Amino acid sequence: LALLISAVLWFKPFNQKAEFLVAATGEIADTVQLADGSQVILNPYSRLKYPAAFEAEERNVSLEGSAFFEVQGDANRPFKISAATSIIEVVGTKFSVNQSNDSVFVAVVEGTVKLYNDSENAEKISISRGQSAYSTKAKAPVFVDESEDAFIVNDVFFEAVALGEVLTALEEMYDVQIDVANPEFLECSF
């Protein structure tokens, strides 16, 4: 019995798949080089979980927070990112992901990315260069309309908008008054 237990304990570490968890802290981004040659620039206060070596069929990682991905192309093994309740799937491209609570925002710099919820029969959308989209647990992925400065009040999503406009929208949405000590902040882009 002792010999059997020793053998199980001896071989167990060799059968486990090594995984890494990188957490970027403070105000400095952290660059992570993955086993397949892909690179991830992990923004502060973000976490990336990834295997030491990828599976033969696909390359899976998970993200909490935001990061910029430069994925090496491999048509036989898609690269999948789990973020909140969404999946971002690519073959090889450059794009950013911003995950917050149950929402995920994806902006594509190069190539094409698929975005969908992690439920069965989820609707998938393809996001191409220069496009962006977001998804939430309760909503299928939706393209961000760049012609309207990506201002979506119902989901409290803003892009390239003056902070004054953001605060005004929040005041109206929640029927509150927000006071800002330094008025110069109102002109900052959010």
Side-chain angles (χ1 to χ4, degrees):
L1 184 60
L3 183 60
L4 181 61
I5 293 171
S6 297
V8 168
L9 293 175
W10 173 260
F11 287 108
K12 188 175 180 178
F14 296 110
N15 294 331
Q16 291 179 340
K17 296 178 184 172
E19 285 191 327
F20 298 103
L21 178 65
V22 175
T25 58
E27 295 184 19
I28 299 173
D30 196 358
T31 302
V32 179
Q33 193 73 34
L34 302 178
D36 68 341
S38 297
Q39 183 175 331
V40 181
I41 301 173
L42 197 59
N43 289 337
Y45 307 108
S46 299
R47 296 163 45 115
L48 180 71
K49 185 177 178 182
Y50 61 97
F54 288 111
E55 299 287 329
E57 300 84 32
E58 54 189 31
R59 302 170 286 168
N60 296 327
V61 301
S62 63
L63 173 70
E64 291 178 22
S66 59
F68 181 81
F69 290 82
E70 189 170 337
V71 177
Q72 291 297 313
D74 188 341
N76 297 323
R77 292 188 313 160
F79 190 94
K80 293 183 179 180
I81 304 160
S82 295
T85 59
S86 297
I87 305 290
I88 300 104
E89 184 179 332
V90 300
V91 172
T93 187
K94 296 178 183 179
F95 58 98
S96 64
V97 177
N98 189 351
Q99 177 266 325
S100 176
N101 296 326
D102 73 341
S103 65
V104 173
F105 173 81
V106 178
V108 178
V109 174
E110 193 176 280
T112 302
V113 171
K114 290 180 185 173
L115 175 63
Y116 53 96
N117 290 335
D118 62 2
S119 60
E120 285 187 42
N121 302 321
E123 179 184 339
K124 294 182 181 182
I125 63 170
S126 291
I127 312 161
S128 299
R129 179 179 186 223
Q131 293 181 319
S132 54
Y134 73 102
S135 74
T136 65
K137 183 177 181 177
K139 187 184 283 188
V142 176
F143 284 100
V144 174
D145 186 358
E146 301 295 338
S147 65
E148 296 179 14
D149 293 329
F151 181 78
I152 303 168
V153 176
N154 291 340
D155 286 332
V156 194
F157 174 81
F158 307 92
E159 183 178 353
V161 177
L163 183 59
E165 291 181 46
V166 173
L167 296 179
T168 301
L170 292 174
E171 286 176 333
E172 292 172 5
M173 187 176 224
Y174 294 105
D175 194 27
V176 296
Q177 180 179 344
I178 300 173
D179 295 321
V180 177
N182 185 347
E184 292 177 19
F185 288 134
L186 297 175
E187 299 304 315
C188 293
S189 181
F190 183 80

